[in-house]
Amino acid sequence: MRAWSVIEPGPVGTGALRLVEKPVPVPGDDELLVRVRTCGVCRTDLHVTEGDLPVHRPGVTPGHEVVGVVAGWGPAVRGFGGGERVG
């Protein structure tokens, strides 16, 4: 999957983010795998990207406010189907 990752924290305009290929995650027993269609980036994510706050994982991808469609699910998940819009 393609994702923008923090390579070296710094001002966004100086190349702090890079478009990279990452493996598609495997959902846990009670998790959905969501194919992201739209993602918001909060101010905290920008602080991490720009180095104002520490990066807790190398190559972190900012953005956790997403809307997408269900692309997979774990065995304990009930009530969702493939292609259903979620956020």
Side-chain angles (χ1 to χ4, degrees):
M1 69 178 195
R2 293 182 307 154
W4 288 98
S5 289
V6 177
I7 301 306
E8 182 68 34
V12 173
T14 64
L17 296 170
R18 186 168 301 142
L19 186 60
V20 298
E21 287 289 329
K22 291 186 172 190
V24 174
V26 175
D29 288 349
D30 60 350
E31 295 178 333
L32 292 173
L33 177 63
V34 178
R35 181 179 308 272
V36 176
R37 298 293 188 212
T38 302
C39 178
V41 176
C42 71
R43 185 66 199 150
T44 301
D45 289 333
L46 292 176
H47 281 302
V48 169
T49 300
E50 294 188 337
D52 301 328
L53 293 172
V55 175
H56 296 289
R57 291 183 324 269
V60 67
T61 298
H64 57 267
E65 300 159 344
V66 303
V67 174
V69 295
V70 175
W73 54 87
V77 173
R78 302 286 181 266
F80 292 94
E84 183 175 352
R85 187 167 43 170
V86 293

